[in-house]
Amino acid sequence: MNAHLQPTGSAYFLTQETQQTERHTLSVLVDNEPGILARVVGLFSARGFNIESLTVSETEHDKRLSRITVVVIATPKVLVQIKTQLERLVPVHRVHDLTAEGAYLERELALIKVNGTGDHRAETLRLADAFRAQIVDATVESFVFEVTGKPSKIDSFIALMQPLGLVEVVRTGLAAINRGPEGM
């Protein structure tokens, strides 16, 4: 928080400037070269910024470009700092704040392993069907489900699986893209 002098009558009082934190999804187009991910992550860690989700993949093979999708929770002031610092990195071509720019789509994929025996087996399958989870592996003792959707959908499915025998969860992190005809 920043301190400011605020006039009140004939005296000045020290007030605290407070900003609410917000969740933002940033899309960063970079050259696909060794060390770029370490540089981007280093930028965040060196300044004490926390990364909630991070995904990276080559998106334009012929141009050797990758897209980094970063989800951060920060105040508006810190968010401006993050974007400014990212834009200063040499192999960064563009930085878009998808949250601020309007309508965008976001999806995540999770692999979820659940013990499935006895009465819990039928309930596990019923709930998986309701969430449109795909069975990617099944044994007489367990299932591995693939769930794709918004993070809140995946969180809900995981919460329902816990009392039924949740074993482990692997999540990809968020993938996001602007809606409409324009590209990045």
Side-chain angles (χ1 to χ4, degrees), residues 108-113 145 147 154 158 168-173:
E108 184 176 14
L109 179 137
L111 297 175
I112 301 165
K113 186 184 292 185
F145 297 106
V147 182
I154 294 170
I158 291 167
E168 72 181 307
V169 176
V170 179
R171 296 174 82 148
T172 61

Side-chain angles (χ1 to χ4, degrees), residues 37-110:
L37 180 59
R39 291 175 64 195
V40 169
V41 171
L43 181 148
F44 279 81
S45 65
R47 289 158 183 80
F49 302 147
N50 189 39
I51 296 173
E52 185 175 298
S53 174
L54 174 72
T55 56
V56 184
S57 182
E58 186 173 68
T59 56
E60 297 180 46
H61 183 71
D62 56 326
K63 295 180 183 177
R64 300 200 37 80
L65 296 176
S66 290
R67 184 179 295 216
I68 301 173
T69 304
V70 184
V71 178
V72 296
I73 296 177
T75 64
K77 185 175 181 177
V78 169
L79 192 61
V80 168
Q81 291 175 334
I82 291 170
K83 291 191 300 189
T84 301
Q85 294 296 322
L86 283 170
E87 288 167 346
R88 289 182 182 164
L89 289 177
V90 173
V92 171
H93 293 276
R94 282 181 231 118
V95 178
H96 286 273
D97 182 349
L98 298 177
T99 306
E101 292 176 11
Y104 70 99
L105 302 170
E106 62 179 21
R107 294 293 183 268
E108 184 176 14
L109 179 137

Side-chain angles (χ1 to χ4, degrees), residues 1 13 19 25 41 70 75 115 122 148 155:
M1 285 191 256
F13 293 94
Q19 292 185 327
T25 302
V41 171
V70 184
T75 64
N115 282 331
T148 306
D155 292 340

